């Protein structure tokens, strides 16, 4: 393996080993679940306490975040199975890509450089109706156009795009390390 940094003597193998250990640890998967739960809690606070109603794109983001929570908890519970961390990392890549796409669409709609999908229909299969199962969390209540400001003038769409841009390469790096050390 090549040297990542000549000064420190850290090799690619060292980096892959470290990432692989992190990706198999309970703390990593628990951390992802907690981050997802916090993101959902913030969204619900804005919706129910501050009357900032969610649009269809917001609900799509919530569904991707819920998928992350579910995957993280399953891998947390079953991480001792050899294939589970690899499967979990593969699914987090899919989730990260989905979050990035929806976040980009949301930001583009907010900034008016994309035409948003802003109806009230979630566009999900007839058998998958989270808006009917959990309307307080997944019901579309307004059309797209803006997202509320969080802190320091940063909107929810801006925060989501930054988080997604970080999450995609992190997920890919964890997957690569997991596959490299799967043997």
């Amino acid at each position: 393996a090549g040297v990542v940094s000549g000064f420190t003597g850290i090799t690619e193998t060292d980096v892959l080993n470290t990432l692989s250990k992190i990706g198999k640890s309970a703390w990593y998967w628990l951390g992802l679940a907690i981050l997802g739960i916090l993101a959902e809690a913030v969204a619900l606070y804005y919706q129910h306490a501050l009357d900032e109603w969610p649009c269809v794109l917001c609900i799509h983001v919530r569904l991707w975040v819920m998928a992350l929570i579910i995957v993280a908890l399953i891998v947390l519970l079953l991480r001792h199975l050899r294939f589970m961390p690899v499967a979990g990392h593969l699914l987090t890549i899919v989730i990260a890509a989905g979050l990035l796409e929806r976040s980009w669409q949301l930001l583009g709609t907010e900034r008016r450089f994309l035409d948003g999908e802003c109806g009230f229909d979630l566009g999900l299969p007839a058998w998958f109706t989270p808006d009917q199962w959990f309307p307080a969390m997944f019901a579309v209540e307004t059309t797209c156009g803006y997202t509320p400001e969080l802190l320091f003038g940063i909107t929810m769409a801006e925060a989501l795009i930054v988080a997604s841009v970080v999450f995609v390469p992190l997920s890919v790096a964890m997957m690569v390390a997991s596959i490299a050390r799967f043997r």
Side-chain angles (χ1 to χ4, degrees):
V3 174
V4 173
S5 169
F7 180 73
T8 62
I10 298 173
T11 65
E12 292 170 15
T13 302
D14 296 334
V15 172
L16 288 174
N17 284 336
T18 300
L19 288 176
S20 179
K21 285 179 187 175
I22 291 169
K24 290 178 185 174
S25 76
W27 292 109
Y28 176 77
W29 295 103
L30 182 62
L32 284 180
I34 289 170
L35 283 172
I37 291 167
L38 289 173
E40 297 285 27
V42 167
L44 290 172
Y45 172 76
Y46 271 80
Q47 177 182 349
H48 295 289
L50 302 180
D51 292 326
E52 295 286 354
W53 296 348
C55 67
V56 69
L57 294 171
C58 300
I59 298 301
H60 288 168
V61 167
R62 289 182 190 186
L63 288 168
W64 281 115
V65 172
M66 187 57 68
L68 174 65
I69 294 167
I70 291 167
V71 166
L73 292 175
I74 289 171
V75 177
L76 176 65
L77 295 173
L78 301 176
R79 70 186 181 286
H80 62 281
L81 299 175
R82 184 175 174 169
F83 71 91
M84 191 53 71
V86 173
H89 292 306
L90 179 61
L91 289 171
T92 59
I93 290 171
V94 172
I95 292 166
L99 275 171
L100 179 59
E101 188 278 330
R102 292 287 83 187
S103 299
W104 178 252
Q105 194 64 238
L106 190 60
L107 183 67
T109 301
E110 179 176 271
R111 297 284 175 85
R112 301 198 191 323
F113 61 82
L114 293 174
D115 289 329
E117 304 158 15
C118 293
F120 282 81
D121 180 25
L122 283 175
L124 300 173
W127 57 267
F128 186 59
T129 56
D131 54 330
Q132 292 175 15
W133 302 331
F134 306 106
M137 185 162 186
F138 296 117
V140 177
E141 296 185 31
T142 191
T143 59
C144 303
Y146 80 99
T147 59
E149 191 175 296
L150 296 173
L151 295 172
F152 311 113
I154 298 169
T155 67
M156 216 175 261
E158 293 166 341
L160 283 168
I161 198 77
V162 169
S164 298
V165 165
V166 170
F167 189 36
V168 169
L170 171 67
S171 299
V172 170
M174 297 308 272
M175 178 69 178
V176 168
S178 185
I179 290 173
R181 298 295 153 229
F182 186 69
R183 309 178 208 115

